[in-house]
Amino acid sequence: RTIEGKSYKLHCRSKSEEGDGEEVILDENEVAKDKSYCDVGCVLVSPTQQLLAYSTDTTGYETYSVFLKDLETKELISGEVIEETTGDVEWGADDSL
């Protein structure tokens, strides 16, 4: 979804199976902060719902870096950046990329 006055999207999911509440899993406005250009490509939650993979292009050359985020701690997993990709992401059944 989007927020009026913001340039980028929020990616959200329901907090429960009943649809109660909403959890922001990625705020593209935060990802793009302090960057002159930012395109968020793929945004994909892992099969176990514990990890998020997303890709960004910050140069405009359509070369993306893939980042992994722990959805429980809301922190990026350091050392787990995949550089120079097409931006496409696909999870294996065991949460491997």
Side-chain angles (χ1 to χ4, degrees):
R1 69 179 172 88
T2 58
I3 296 176
E4 188 174 336
K6 297 286 186 175
S7 299
Y8 297 94
K9 295 186 259 183
L10 296 178
H11 297 268
C12 306
R13 68 177 179 179
S14 176
K15 284 188 172 186
S16 69
E17 290 183 24
E18 295 79 32
D20 299 332
E22 180 179 75
E23 174 187 17
V24 175
I25 57 174
L26 184 68
D27 181 347
E28 290 185 15
N29 296 287
E30 286 297 313
V31 173
K33 188 166 69 172
D34 300 327
K35 294 175 179 66
S36 59
Y37 176 84
C38 185
D39 178 48
V40 176
C42 189
V43 177
L44 192 62
V45 177
S46 69
T48 63
Q49 305 292 306
Q50 296 175 339
L51 301 172
L52 176 73
Y54 67 93
S55 59
T56 63
D57 170 21
T58 57
T59 64
Y61 292 110
E62 297 181 7
T63 303
Y64 291 79
S65 298
V66 176
F67 297 88
L68 298 179
K69 182 177 179 180
D70 183 316
L71 291 175
E72 189 171 313
T73 65
K74 309 290 188 226
E75 298 293 324
L76 288 179
I77 299 173
S78 63
E80 293 293 326
V81 178
I82 304 168
E83 302 285 349
E84 298 186 11
T85 74
T86 62
D88 296 323
V89 175
E90 191 62 46
W91 286 103
D94 62 351
D95 278 8
S96 63
L97 287 176

